[in-house]
Amino acid sequence: MAHVIGTERRHKKCEDLNLISTASDTVSGLVDSIQKELKELPSLPSNCSIYRVPKPLRKIKPGAYRPRMVSIGPFHRYKKHLQPMEAHKLRYLNDLLSRKSQPNLGDYVKAVTKLEYRARQCYSEIIQLKSEDEFVKMMLIDGCFILELILRTNNPHEPRRRDDLILNATWMSQVIKSDLILLENQLPFFVLESLYKRFTGNSNSSGLDTLISRFFQDFVPQPQSITPESSQFRRISEVAKNVLISVTRWPSMKKNQGEVVDPLLKVEAASTIKDKETPAAEEPEEENSKAKHLLDFVRDLLLQSFSAKPENRGKFALTRSATQLNEASVEFVKLPKTCLLNITFSKGVLKIPTMRIEDWTEPLLRNLIAFEQSHDDYSHEITDYAAFIDGLVNSPKDVELLEKKGIIESLLGEPEEVAALFNSLLKEVSPTIMDGNYYFSSICHELEEHYKIPRHKWKASLMRNYCNTPWAFISFLAAVFLLILTVVQTICSILQVTISSQPYM
């Protein structure tokens, strides 16, 4: 019996040792597996500027972030409905190369290849395409497509080609232009600059800024003027400004000693001569552009006269609706089409730049807000602007009031659509306006203090009820005059009675 018990104990001990050994082998295997994955883990991009739109934002308005006609960059490259545009991209590449007498595709390929690593770092995801060389090919074709589209659009004298389905159809060119300002549909701006330099043969790419500004002029509700006071936007030289003027004056193509010469190249040649007079080293490819991509470029245009003043910023404060403020004697005055942030309030007058609302307005604002939400390093002026207007617009009546004052110019149709647009812009948006850095903090506090003063409401009520029409005003004056006469008559009667009641001396 004792022998049997001893045998069982030895078996149990062996089993325990086997379990311990097996567990140890499992731990060792897991450690090796995890260490291998850690070694193979690619590093995250260090210079992101092109992001996926967060799912909470996307679910509010999916179509505002999705390209409809053309894919730019890797995020939507293989979408089936965007494939027909790939052939047009190649046609535009061929036409761009044909603008010079001896097109050399190899120069463009070399230029983009040098930028491949830096360009990959601009995307928030590790880019994996079907082949090893496809990333460079994509950057080249998409970048040249954008350049050719901008060049054709900026030269009104260039004859329209019968096979150019994009510019021959106004609706299509507008849709493509809208696709180019989507956050997920971007190329790094330095790629466009590099391609433009190869195209012009000039190390100065300042002319590209002017061409892009002109290209997106419909999306920017202010004059295309770049001022030295702009805190965000790159200064554009006088030579760059002359690019657009020259393009509009010269015909598209000229024959010069049997060689086809593009007017844009003439302008850049003049710019090169000027550069030689004041020699400077070529800008290194690694230097960061101030604009990250086309969406960021448009954002700079919208804020071109913006000057960040620390005293304007503070804690978030609620803005009363336009009708409420109007009932407290706040006068709404439209400003010329300048920077969106040039909103001021003084002596009961709220001045706001005119905002034009079209089909592309909502996608543009949503993508700009998504871009500002992508990283803490980005300022959030567009988000602050959306929060301020959202406070003013609570109902269709607010929209009607702002339309009447010329502050909103809507091409959407009913005021309900405009109200719904602004009331949904900040849904699922992280509350960056609550961080004590709200741009319109002081204005909101001043409006609230003005609203709380009772006499302002009495004044507004008087003006609304008795002075809203000439006849009402005349009736009001007549009533006041009769009241004064009645008071005078009453006083005279009292005096007469008082005098007659005194004893006769």
Side-chain angles (χ1 to χ4, degrees), residues 372-414:
E372 292 182 349
Q373 291 282 302
S374 299
H375 201 284
D376 290 341
D377 289 344
Y378 301 144
S379 57
H380 44 78
E381 287 80 19
I382 300 298
T383 306
D384 289 356
Y385 173 80
F388 184 82
I389 299 299
D390 181 31
L392 289 180
V393 177
N394 281 342
S395 69
K397 288 185 178 180
D398 298 316
V399 176
E400 292 173 358
L401 174 61
L402 295 177
E403 283 183 327
K404 182 179 179 181
K405 299 297 183 179
I407 294 172
I408 288 180
E409 296 178 356
S410 175
L411 300 181
L412 291 184
E414 299 299 325

Side-chain angles (χ1 to χ4, degrees), residues 23 47 72 293 298 429 484 497:
N47 191 27
I72 300 296
H293 37 67
V298 172
V429 173
I484 293 173
V497 170

Side-chain angles (χ1 to χ4, degrees), residues 66-129:
R66 184 172 56 239
R68 292 181 287 173
M69 292 291 299
V70 62
S71 167
I72 300 296
F75 287 163
H76 297 273
R77 181 163 178 77
Y78 300 119
K79 296 294 176 62
K80 186 176 181 180
H81 72 284
L82 303 176
Q83 294 309 302
M85 191 56 61
E86 295 301 313
H88 293 295
K89 288 183 186 179
L90 292 173
R91 293 190 185 97
Y92 269 48
L93 169 62
N94 184 62
D95 291 338
L96 182 71
L97 295 174
S98 300
R99 285 179 178 270
K100 301 182 72 172
S101 58
Q102 295 180 349
N104 188 346
L105 182 59
D107 291 341
Y108 291 89
V109 174
K110 291 178 182 178
V112 178
T113 301
K114 292 179 181 179
L115 300 176
E116 179 181 3
Y117 177 78
R118 183 182 170 201
R120 286 181 179 272
Q121 295 295 307
C122 293
Y123 293 92
S124 61
E125 299 177 3
I126 305 302
I127 304 302
Q128 295 180 342
L129 301 177

Side-chain angles (χ1 to χ4, degrees), residues 52-62 65 184 427-428:
R52 291 278 192 184
V53 175
K55 289 183 179 179
L57 285 181
R58 184 188 301 277
K59 71 179 182 180
I60 301 297
K61 193 82 173 182
Y65 309 102
E184 296 182 350
K427 289 183 178 179
E428 301 293 346

Side-chain angles (χ1 to χ4, degrees), residues 128-187:
Q128 295 180 342
L129 301 177
K130 293 181 178 179
S131 64
E132 184 177 351
D133 299 329
E134 190 169 356
F135 185 86
V136 171
K137 179 180 177 182
M138 173 190 66
M139 290 282 139
L140 172 62
I141 295 176
D142 290 357
C144 289
F145 166 77
I146 293 173
L147 287 182
E148 177 64 19
L149 179 62
I150 290 173
L151 293 174
R152 292 189 187 189
T153 305
N154 277 279
N155 190 354
H157 298 289
E158 183 168 330
R160 293 288 176 87
R161 300 168 174 82
R162 294 182 61 86
D163 62 344
D164 190 349
L165 299 181
I166 297 175
L167 295 185
N168 288 336
T170 304
W171 69 270
M172 185 180 293
S173 60
Q174 195 68 18
V175 170
I176 290 177
K177 192 177 294 186
S178 299
D179 285 347
L180 295 181
I181 51 90
L182 302 181
L183 177 58
E184 296 182 350
N185 215 36
Q186 297 297 320
L187 291 185

